[in-house]
Amino acid sequence: MSSSATPALDYAVELAPRLGLSVSAPSLETRPVDDAALALPTFCERARIPADADTVVVPEGGYGWVIVGLSRLTASQLASDATLSFVGSTAASWVSFAALVNARLIKLLGTRNAALLGCFCLGFGQILSGWSSSSVGGLFVTNGVVMGFGLSLAFMASSALPAQYFSRRRGLANGSVFAGGGIGGGVWSLSINALIDRVGIPWTFRILGLVTMATTMPAALLLKERTRRASAQVDWQLFRDKKFVLLFIGSALATFPLLVPPFFIPLYATSLGVSTFLSSPLLAVFNLSSAVGRVGFGVLCDKIGPISSLALSLSLSAISILAIWPPSASTAPLVVFIVLNGAGNGGFFSTVPSVVGHMYGSARVASAFAMVLTGWAFGYFLRSPVAGWILDAYGGSDVGRAAFRPAMYYASSLSTVSAGLIWAMGLAVNKRFFAFA
């Protein structure tokens, strides 16, 4: 299993030109992320377990594998572009909307059993989607609800465990786990084209569902928790803590712009005259850079503190969008932007669990993180539709590079504000600017 938390790629954008489809931006939704979707960690503050004590691998978001089907459905005029884009958003949003419910379910069933149930639903939802490609309602149920529930439950169940085995190297452990999403996304962005071309969209859903079950369910059997995690509940007292409010708002705002770049990379590359053949490598570079960023910023968590690492990752995302992307008029600067933004994007998802554990310890981390994760729901649900609407409002991708700039400024401004809020939180924890925080 590999994580989808960070920067999952929009395969619909990537494949539409190859399939001869004309797809407008609002119909295209990025996947969760992976990157983006974090688990509810239970941190053991005093644990000193060897690095090989347990092997935990996080599930790659199945939603990301099948979103390509939406481009074909758009071409067949099954429903409006906006309606189909929200089919995908429904699956991604489950990670946030169901955070508190899933946390209680995991406590009731245990980590291993909850992961098995999640992996089954994740694969079964994809299989069912193969028979729902002519029904919008069916897609909302199979692709949105069944698969979304499986994604959120499996992800939360598996990615919480490293915190039970690591303390001094917690950042590295979290970064390594979440790096799976970048690696998995990079591989799939290069290989899924052949599957679509050979068997079509319905059988792609079914095959990926079977592959998901065959790979993730045996891996779920390896999961083992050292202690039964605490039950999560809404702790309203946390909102009286200025540091928690800054984290809650700052991270929620960050989820809106983080996946705008991978959403636009193929379209923007096309506007520069880059051939469709190069779209897959560019998207793969973004995902692989995200994997490196997740590990790198995870290491920084252990060196300079998780709050400082989170603030740096958001600052890197904001600076790359504002200073490098808009003037990119050729492939070389675009690749520089992709590498830097992918690293910052991945760093966000791998550092947040460590930030919550650092601030609240094992006693309150379950409730604190579930509440933070719930705050990301609207960012997950609206991030790509909003970006697509902005692009359309300024003429769409056919107009050229200028049409992308309003969306760039939208993403960079939100990233800047979120980074500023996290820096403020760090100063609230430790008044010395360069102190461990």
Side-chain angles (χ1 to χ4, degrees):
M1 293 187 291
S2 62
S3 126
S4 176
T6 133
L9 304 176
D10 199 313
Y11 296 116
V13 181
E14 171 192 352
L15 291 181
R18 292 191 179 192
L19 297 176
L21 305 179
S22 176
V23 185
S24 61
S27 69
L28 307 175
E29 165 64 13
T30 56
R31 61 208 43 74
V33 128
D34 26 67
D35 301 274
L38 297 172
L40 178 65
T42 302
F43 293 94
C44 291
E45 297 296 331
R46 302 297 180 188
R48 288 294 187 271
I49 308 298
D52 59 353
D54 203 0
T55 301
V56 183
V57 190
V58 184
E60 172 74 12
Y63 156 72
W65 299 343
V66 300
I67 193 64
V68 289
L70 297 183
S71 62
R72 181 66 61 86
L73 297 175
T74 299
S76 67
Q77 298 182 341
L78 175 65
S80 67
D81 293 342
T83 298
L84 290 176
S85 72
F86 281 113
V87 172
S89 294
T90 301
S93 300
W94 266 89
V95 174
S96 289
F97 285 124
L100 289 165
V101 174
N102 281 339
R104 296 187 178 188
L105 187 59
I106 292 169
K107 180 176 175 60
L108 177 65
L109 298 178
T111 296
R112 182 178 297 164
N113 292 334
L116 285 170
L117 175 61
C119 292
F120 173 79
C121 291
L122 179 60
F124 190 55
Q126 293 178 78
I127 294 173
L128 291 178
S129 295
W131 282 279
S132 303
S133 58
S134 61
S135 168
V136 174
L139 285 173
F140 268 109
V141 173
T142 60
N143 188 34
V145 177
V146 177
M147 198 168 67
F149 170 73
L151 168 66
S152 62
L153 184 60
F155 187 82
M156 290 182 66
S158 59
S159 58
L161 291 184
Q164 295 194 8
Y165 290 89
F166 297 92
S167 179
R168 288 186 300 105
R169 298 180 178 177
R170 181 185 299 156
L172 174 60
N174 283 329
S176 298
V177 168
F178 288 106
I183 297 172
V187 172
W188 277 100
S189 66
L190 296 173
S191 61
I192 199 172
N193 294 350
L195 187 59
I196 292 287
D197 291 338
R198 286 176 180 269
V199 300
I201 295 296
W203 271 104
T204 296
F205 277 99
R206 296 164 192 154
I207 292 172
L208 292 178
L210 292 172
V211 170
T212 298
M213 288 185 177
T215 56
T216 61
M217 294 185 73
L221 293 173
L222 299 176
L223 300 180
K224 179 181 179 181
E225 55 190 356
R226 294 181 67 246
T227 58
R228 183 61 63 92
R229 63 189 72 193
S231 179
Q233 57 186 352
V234 178
D235 184 354
W236 296 109
Q237 295 296 321
L238 286 171
F239 285 107
R240 296 184 178 181
D241 180 0
K242 179 177 68 175
K243 299 186 296 295
F244 179 80
V245 173
L246 289 170
L247 175 62
F248 184 88
I249 298 176
S251 62
L253 289 177
T255 58
F256 280 89
L258 276 176
L259 292 183
V260 170
F263 177 68
F264 280 144
I265 284 172
L267 291 172
Y268 189 81
T270 300
S271 73
L272 298 180
V274 176
S275 67
T276 304
F277 177 76
L278 293 178
S279 295
S280 293
L282 288 176
L283 292 170
V285 167
F286 186 93
N287 260 359
L288 295 174
S289 178
S290 172
V292 174
R294 297 178 195 196
V295 176
F297 279 100
V299 172
L300 278 180
C301 284
D302 300 328
K303 301 295 185 181
I304 66 174
I307 298 175
S308 299
S309 299
L310 174 58
L312 284 173
S313 72
L314 290 172
S315 299
L316 179 59
S317 295
I319 292 172
S320 62
I321 295 176
L322 183 62
I324 302 177
W325 195 6
S328 296
S330 61
T331 305
L334 179 62
V335 171
V336 173
F337 161 74
I338 289 172
V339 170
L340 294 178
N341 189 263
N345 191 310
F348 170 81
F349 292 104
S350 66
T351 54
V352 173
S354 297
V355 169
V356 179
H358 175 69
M359 291 175 57
Y360 296 104
S362 59
R364 305 179 75 185
V365 68
S367 297
F369 198 88
M371 292 168 65
V372 168
L373 189 60
T374 301
W376 298 0
F378 292 103
Y380 277 148
F381 193 60
L382 295 173
R383 57 193 177 188
S384 291
V386 168
W389 290 331
I390 293 175
L391 178 63
D392 257 12
Y394 286 86
S397 58
D398 292 337
V399 175
R401 292 170 50 214
F404 290 88
R405 289 184 179 175
M408 294 177 188
Y409 299 143
Y410 150 78
S412 62
S413 61
L414 286 179
S415 295
T416 301
V417 172
S418 62
L421 292 172
I422 301 303
W423 281 117
M425 181 184 67
L427 291 175
V429 172
N430 195 321
K431 298 300 182 182
R432 292 184 301 162
F433 194 79
F434 294 103
F436 187 96

